[in-house]
Amino acid sequence: RGIIAIGDIATGWIAIGGLARGGLVIAGIAAGIITVGGVSVGVISLGGLALGLLALGGLAVGGVAVGGGALGVVAIGGGALGYYAMGGGALGKYVVSALQRSPEAVAFFKQWLPFWH
C-alpha cells in the first residue's frame, strides 16, 4: 500500500502488481489513478482484465475500453460492445466492423483517432 505500490496485491494511486487497484477508496469504490496488473482496477487500467475509465487489456471494461474483448461507451477490439464500437466483431449503436460502417462511427473515430482511415 502507498501512493506508489508494487507487489502481488498492490493498492495505491499508482499500483503495479498481480492484482492492482486504486488506493483511494470512497464508499467501497476504488479511485486510484494508474493501475497495471493481471487484474487491474483504477481510473487508467492496463492488464489482462482491466476495469477503469480508460481500460486497456485482454478484457477491457470501462468508459473507453481497448482490448481483445472490449466493453464500454467507446469500445475498440476484436470483440467490441459499446455505444461507439470498432472491431472485427463490433456491436453497438454506431459501429465500424467487418460487416458494417455507420457514418456516425466513422466520423467519431476519425475525429479521435486521426491516424485511422
Side-chain angles (χ1 to χ4, degrees), residues 1 4-5 7 20 39 48 58 71 94 101-103 115:
R1 290 181 187 258
I4 299 173
V39 175
L71 172 64
Y94 302 111
R101 293 174 63 91
S102 67
F115 55 87

Side-chain angles (χ1 to χ4, degrees), residues 62-108:
V64 176
V66 180
L71 172 64
V73 176
V74 177
I76 302 170
L81 177 62
Y83 189 76
Y84 288 100
M86 180 168 62
L91 299 170
K93 174 107 174 137
Y94 302 111
V95 175
V96 175
S97 72
L99 299 176
Q100 74 182 83
R101 293 174 63 91
S102 67
E104 297 88 347
V106 170
F108 176 83

Side-chain angles (χ1 to χ4, degrees), residues 18-117:
L19 170 61
R21 61 185 179 180
L24 179 59
V25 179
I26 301 170
I29 299 171
I33 298 174
I34 299 172
T35 57
V36 179
V39 175
S40 179
V41 180
V43 175
I44 299 172
S45 298
L46 296 94
L49 169 58
L51 307 167
L53 289 179
L54 173 60
L56 307 166
L59 175 57
V61 179
V64 176
V66 180
L71 172 64
V73 176
V74 177
I76 302 170
L81 177 62
Y83 189 76
Y84 288 100
M86 180 168 62
L91 299 170
K93 174 107 174 137
Y94 302 111
V95 175
V96 175
S97 72
L99 299 176
Q100 74 182 83
R101 293 174 63 91
S102 67
E104 297 88 347
V106 170
F108 176 83
F109 287 113
K110 277 187 178 179
Q111 176 183 357
W112 292 103
L113 302 171
F115 55 87
W116 177 76
H117 45 101

